[in-house]
C-alpha cells in the first residue's frame, strides 16, 4: 500500500513548529503528575513520536496540544503563537483518534465535508479538497459508502483524510493503528509516513509500539512516569540510550555494570573508554568526558554480539531458541554475567556448549547516568 503518486496534495504546505514549554499536569486525586515539566520543540514538517508504556503521559501531552486538556503549568506554542488557552476548535489542528470517531450515519464524503462546512467553506472548494484527499488516500471509489461498509484499514484512512482535508497546521495521531491486525499495521505505518512526507505537515504521533516509532519518526520522544527521558533520532535512541530506563524499554539490551579505567581511543566518531566489568575489560563508546573510577553501565544490543573462536570473552550457552530469522541464545559469561545473544540460524550454538564471543567497540555504549 502506498500513497497515490499522481494525487495532488489537498493540504497546503504550512510550516509549523511546536514548542511545549514546561508542561505540567496533575489530575485531581492522582498520586503523581501525569506530565512533569515537559520541554519539547519540533522543527517544521517533522514526524515526532511520543513513545512510552501506558500511563507515561504521552496521551495527556497530546491532549494538551489538542486543547482537550489544559496544563496546570507551561505553555503550548505553534510557531510564535501561544495556543495554551484556546479551545480545540480555535487551534487549527487535525486529530486522528484511536477509534477513528467517524460519524456512522454519514458517508465517507459527508464525513469529510462536515468539518469543512462547519468552517464555512463553499461547496466548490469542499469538493476540490475532498476529491483531492480521497485520491491521496486511495478511497475515491468508497466516497458514498458508510463506515460500517469499510474495513478497519479503510476506516483509518478516512479518519486521516478527515483530519487533513481541513488543511490544519498540525496533525495529531493517538495510537491510530492499535485496532488493526499485525500485517495491516505494518502496511499502514508505511502509508501514514509516506502521506505525511508528501503533505509535509508537522505531526505528533502517540504510540507504545517501538517498531512504529522507529520506522515512522524523524525523532522519538521516550516518556516514562510523566517525564521526557530522551528526545533524539531513532538510531540514537536505540544505539545510544541516555539512561538505563531507555535502554531497557527500547528493544532488548544487555546491561553490564562496570567502572571506567581510562580513555582507550579518542580518534573515532565517539571516544572509546576502557571499562572493567565482570566479563573483563570492555571497550565502550561515549560522547562526553568520563573520569577514571567512575561507575557506569555498558549497554550492548543482543544482535551486536557474535560467537567467534578468537573472541576475547567466553561463556556457556544455557539456551538457544529458534525464532525464524534469528536464534536467541542465553549466555552465562565470566563472573555470572548473563547475556542475550541473537544470531542468524547458521551461527547457532547449542545449549550446553562453551563459546568465545566478541563485539565491536562501536556497539558497546556507556550509560553514565542512573
Amino acid at each position: 500500500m502506498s500513497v497515490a503518486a499522481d494525487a495532488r496534495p489537498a493540504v497546503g504546505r504550512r510550516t509549523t513548529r511546536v514548542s511545549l514549554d514546561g508542561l505540567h499536569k496533575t489530575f485531581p486525586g492522582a498520586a503523581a503528575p501525569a506530565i512533569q515539566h515537559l520541554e519539547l520543540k519540533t522543527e517544521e514538517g517533522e514526524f515526532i513520536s511520543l513513545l512510552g508504556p501506558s500511563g507515561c503521559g504521552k496521551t495527556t501531552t497530546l491532549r494538551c496540544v489538542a486543547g482537550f486538556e489544559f496544563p496546570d503549568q507551561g505553555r503550548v506554542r505553534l510557531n510564535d503563537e501561544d495556543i495554551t488557552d484556546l479551545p480545540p476548535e480555535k487551534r487549527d489542528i487535525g486529530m486522528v483518534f484511536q477509534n477513528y470517531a467517524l460519524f456512522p450515519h454519514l458517508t465517507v464524503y459527508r464525513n469529510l465535508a462536515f468539518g469543512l462546512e462547519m468552517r464555512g467553506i463553499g461547496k466548490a472548494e469542499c469538493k476540490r479538497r475532498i476529491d483531492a484527499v480521497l485520491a491521496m488516500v486511495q478511497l475515491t471509489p468508497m466516497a458514498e459508502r458508510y463506515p460500517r461498509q469499510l474495513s478497519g484499514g479503510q476506516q483509518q484512512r478516512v479518519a486521516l483524510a478527515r483530519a487533513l482535508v481541513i488543511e490544519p497546521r498540525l496533525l495529531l495521531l493517538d495510537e491510530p493503528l492499535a485496532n488493526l491486525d499485525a500485517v495491516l499495521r505494518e502496511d499502514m505505518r508505511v502509508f501514514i509516513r509516506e502521506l505525511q512526507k508528501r503533505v509535509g505537515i508537522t505531526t505528533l504521533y502517540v504510540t507504545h509500539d517501538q517498531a512504529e516509532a522507529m520506522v515512522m519518526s524523524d525523532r522519538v520522544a521516550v516518556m516514562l512516569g510523566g517525564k521526557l527521558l530522551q528526545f533524539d533520532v531513532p538510531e540514537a535512541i536505540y544505539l545510544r540510550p541516555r539512561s538505563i530506563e531507555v535502554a531497557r524499554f527500547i528493544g532488548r539490551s544487555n546491561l553490564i555494570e562496570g567502572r571506567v579505567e581510562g580513555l582507550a581511543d579518542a580518534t573515532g566518531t565517539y571516544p572509546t573508554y576502557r571499562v572493567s566489568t565482570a566479563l573483563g575489560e570492555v571497550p565502550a563508546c561515549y560522547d562526553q568526558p568520563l573520569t577514571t573510577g567512575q561507575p557506569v553501565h555498558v549497554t550492548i544490543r543482543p544482535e551486536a554480539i557474535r560467537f567467534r573462536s578468537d573472541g576475547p570473552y567466553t561463556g556457556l550457552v544455557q539456551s538457544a531458541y529458534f525464532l525464524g530469522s534469528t536464534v536467541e541464545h542465553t549466555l552465562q559469561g565470566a563472573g555470572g554475567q548473563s547475556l542475550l545473544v541473537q544470531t542468524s540460524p547458521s551461527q547457532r550454538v547449542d545449549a550446553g556448549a562453551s563459546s568465545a564471543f566478541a563485539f565491536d567497540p562501536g556497539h558497546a555504549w556507556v550509560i553514565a547516568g542512573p
Side-chain angles (χ1 to χ4, degrees), residues 139-154:
L139 287 176
T140 300
M142 311 291 182
E144 296 306 317
R145 293 191 184 183
Y146 291 89
R148 65 180 179 274
Q149 297 173 308
L150 304 176
S151 68
Q154 289 168 340

Side-chain angles (χ1 to χ4, degrees), residues 64-134:
C64 285
V65 176
F68 300 129
E69 301 288 352
F70 294 92
D72 303 326
Q73 302 173 31
R75 311 307 294 173
V76 179
R77 291 182 174 86
L78 299 187
N79 293 331
D80 297 323
E81 180 187 356
D82 189 336
I83 65 167
T84 311
D85 300 318
L86 291 179
E89 65 273 14
K90 299 291 186 181
R91 298 194 179 202
D92 196 12
I93 290 173
M95 186 160 182
V96 178
F97 299 91
Q98 182 174 333
N99 63 356
Y100 314 140
L102 301 177
F103 297 117
H105 62 292
L106 298 181
T107 64
V108 169
Y109 190 97
R110 294 300 306 160
N111 262 280
L112 270 60
F114 181 83
L116 296 174
E117 292 170 353
M118 292 292 291
R119 288 165 172 79
I121 305 298
K123 287 185 177 181
E125 177 64 8
C126 279
K127 186 176 188 310
R128 184 197 70 80
R129 291 196 198 184
I130 292 170
D131 288 348
V133 171
L134 285 177

Side-chain angles (χ1 to χ4, degrees), residues 283-296:
C285 295
Y286 200 54
D287 58 356
Q288 298 176 27
L290 297 171
T291 58
T292 299
Q294 180 177 348
V296 296

Side-chain angles (χ1 to χ4, degrees), residues 239 254 256-266 270-286 290 296-301 304-306 308 311-313 357-367:
L239 297 174
N254 295 297
I256 306 169
E257 291 186 17
R259 191 172 297 273
V260 176
E261 293 296 327
L263 182 64
D265 184 5
Y270 302 106
T272 301
Y273 290 87
R274 295 181 290 108
V275 181
S276 63
T277 73
L279 294 175
E281 189 171 274
V282 171
C285 295
Y286 200 54
L290 297 171
V296 296
H297 285 80
V298 174
T299 178
I300 307 170
R301 296 295 179 179
I305 300 175
R306 293 169 287 111
R308 207 175 72 186
Y313 314 105
F357 62 94
F359 49 86
D360 295 329
H363 289 277
W365 182 256
V366 170
I367 298 176

